[in-house]
Amino acid sequence: MKTKIKSKRITDFKNDLVFKYLLSNMKDEQCRRLLKLIIEDVMDIKCKKINVLNSELNPHHISDKDMILDIQVITEDGELVDIEMQNSIFSKELYHRLQAYEARMIDHQVNRGDERYSDHLHKVNLITFINDIDKDNLVLIDSYVPRNEYGNVRKFNLATSYFVQLPFIKVIEKEKKLENFSRLEILIYILYHGLTHDIISLDNEVVTIMKDKMEQFNEDEELVLAAEKRQLVKIQHYHEGQRMHEEGKAEGKLASKKEDTLMLFKSKFPQEDNELLENLTLQQYDHIFKALIENKDLKTIKKIIGKIIQ
């Protein structure tokens, strides 16, 4: 008989699967309260109705690079707002991806050739929880809207991005006691630190909900195993990205050195076919470039090309 391997207890709310579980089920009163709290306090609006458009939580989709909550809100003023929410880290790719999301969310609201854009368009917002800090913007919640060179917001702006910088909660901890935290600050504290002894001792609705949701999550063996695998997938994606970045840097350095060497070679030996400088290593290009600078003859250059450099 096979022994069933028991999964570890999950404690990290930043795990993508846990994060979506925490906020996606609108049939769950606790989920609704947390999501309403985040939207209202981050965006400074009042919600009349909230609908999560992709609430399904499939443990078999753990290889997806991003688990994004797709949300539609009707405010108390009757305004329609599309929101995408995710949990990520800062990178050039993230900034580019979020701008593409904004453009796509707006573009999907109108039909091609529609001359009455304003009849159909409504606001779009991106809320990204970041386990990182932009050192140029040291705030808990950093919001972005298009502005001109004088700092004026674009008229009738539709797109706004919000970055909730989780590590900044450590700064707030130095400024005031936990019992004086706002509801949103308590939620961010738990997302960043987890359910510490200090926070769990508070008599607070947000703490109770977060504790209940994590206990419920850990009761589902399939979800716990999926969360463990999801974390491994995220680590794998990170290392693949790092490897590709390093390979890209190496390829760029090789291409740059090759170009410099070819230019110098042509100036020194204009009658020679430069094909002999194709498909060399970075070390060979370095040695040839140095030899060309030192005005070595063609025989010396060809000797370097024919030599295998360790």
Side-chain angles (χ1 to χ4, degrees), residues 93-199:
E93 288 71 24
L94 174 70
Y95 284 114
H96 285 173
R97 191 164 70 243
L98 294 182
Q99 290 176 75
Y101 288 164
E102 287 178 346
R104 187 170 67 244
M105 289 166 71
I106 293 174
D107 183 63
H108 284 178
Q109 297 176 27
V110 295
N111 298 317
R112 299 298 180 196
D114 192 341
E115 296 180 357
R116 297 182 60 84
Y117 270 65
S118 295
D119 290 348
H120 306 286
L121 291 178
H122 51 268
K123 290 182 179 179
V124 300
N125 295 268
L126 300 173
I127 300 176
T128 307
F129 286 81
I130 298 286
N131 190 28
D132 199 355
I133 286 184
D134 179 357
K135 293 181 180 178
D136 294 325
N137 298 283
L138 298 175
V139 290
L140 184 62
I141 300 172
D142 194 15
S143 62
Y144 285 88
V145 292
R147 297 177 183 271
N148 67 10
E149 60 182 315
Y150 305 108
N152 298 319
V153 177
R154 181 170 58 193
K155 291 182 180 179
F156 307 110
N157 176 59
L158 292 171
T160 305
S161 289
Y162 299 89
F163 295 106
V164 182
Q165 303 188 109
L166 300 180
F168 194 81
I169 199 68
K170 292 187 292 185
V171 176
I172 296 175
E173 290 177 62
K174 295 177 182 178
E175 296 175 347
K176 58 184 177 181
K177 296 180 180 180
L178 282 176
E179 53 264 34
N180 295 324
F181 273 27
S182 69
R183 296 186 308 159
L184 182 62
E185 288 168 345
I186 287 175
L187 189 147
I188 292 170
Y189 176 99
I190 297 172
L191 286 175
Y192 183 68
H193 289 296
L195 289 164
T196 66
H197 179 269
D198 290 338
I199 199 73

Side-chain angles (χ1 to χ4, degrees), residues 11-221:
T11 59
D12 187 2
F13 287 96
K14 296 185 293 297
N15 182 291
D16 285 1
L17 209 62
V18 179
F19 184 80
K20 189 167 183 179
Y21 177 85
L22 191 67
L23 302 169
S24 62
N25 185 5
M26 290 299 94
K27 294 180 180 179
D28 184 296
E29 177 64 23
Q30 291 181 320
C31 284
R32 281 202 308 273
R33 289 185 184 181
L34 286 180
L35 190 56
K36 187 172 186 287
L37 164 63
I38 291 170
I39 293 171
E40 292 189 339
D41 287 22
V42 169
M43 295 176 53
D44 193 24
I45 62 173
K46 291 295 182 183
C47 301
K48 181 178 180 181
K49 184 177 180 181
I50 301 175
N51 184 26
V52 177
L53 303 179
N54 62 336
S55 59
E56 68 282 352
L57 194 67
N58 191 334
H60 303 292
H61 292 170
I62 59 170
S63 61
D64 294 345
K65 283 195 175 182
D66 296 299
M67 286 194 175
I68 298 173
L69 282 170
D70 189 4
I71 305 158
Q72 197 164 74
V73 167
I74 298 177
T75 69
E76 288 187 349
D77 296 328
E79 189 174 30
L80 183 62
V81 181
D82 284 339
I83 301 169
E84 283 195 354
M85 188 182 302
Q86 65 173 298
N87 173 30
S88 190
I89 58 173
F90 280 127
S91 67
K92 177 181 176 181
E93 288 71 24
L94 174 70
Y95 284 114
H96 285 173
R97 191 164 70 243
L98 294 182
Q99 290 176 75
Y101 288 164
E102 287 178 346
R104 187 170 67 244
M105 289 166 71
I106 293 174
D107 183 63
H108 284 178
Q109 297 176 27
V110 295
N111 298 317
R112 299 298 180 196
D114 192 341
E115 296 180 357
R116 297 182 60 84
Y117 270 65
S118 295
D119 290 348
H120 306 286
L121 291 178
H122 51 268
K123 290 182 179 179
V124 300
N125 295 268
L126 300 173
I127 300 176
T128 307
F129 286 81
I130 298 286
N131 190 28
D132 199 355
I133 286 184
D134 179 357
K135 293 181 180 178
D136 294 325
N137 298 283
L138 298 175
V139 290
L140 184 62
I141 300 172
D142 194 15
S143 62
Y144 285 88
V145 292
R147 297 177 183 271
N148 67 10
E149 60 182 315
Y150 305 108
N152 298 319
V153 177
R154 181 170 58 193
K155 291 182 180 179
F156 307 110
N157 176 59
L158 292 171
T160 305
S161 289
Y162 299 89
F163 295 106
V164 182
Q165 303 188 109
L166 300 180
F168 194 81
I169 199 68
K170 292 187 292 185
V171 176
I172 296 175
E173 290 177 62
K174 295 177 182 178
E175 296 175 347
K176 58 184 177 181
K177 296 180 180 180
L178 282 176
E179 53 264 34
N180 295 324
F181 273 27
S182 69
R183 296 186 308 159
L184 182 62
E185 288 168 345
I186 287 175
L187 189 147
I188 292 170
Y189 176 99
I190 297 172
L191 286 175
Y192 183 68
H193 289 296
L195 289 164
T196 66
H197 179 269
D198 290 338
I199 199 73
I200 210 168
S201 64
L202 292 182
D203 182 16
N204 182 278
E205 180 191 20
V206 174
V207 175
T208 300
I209 291 175
M210 297 290 274
K211 180 176 178 291
D212 288 348
K213 297 308 295 179
M214 185 58 86
E215 288 178 353
Q216 292 165 19
F217 185 92
N218 278 294
E219 288 172 1
D220 190 318
E221 192 74 13

Side-chain angles (χ1 to χ4, degrees), residues 288-303:
I288 293 168
F289 188 82
K290 181 181 179 184
L292 290 168
I293 290 291
E294 295 173 351
N295 291 315
K296 300 294 185 180
D297 58 21
L298 186 59
K299 183 178 178 181
T300 302
I301 303 301
K302 289 183 177 180
K303 186 177 179 181

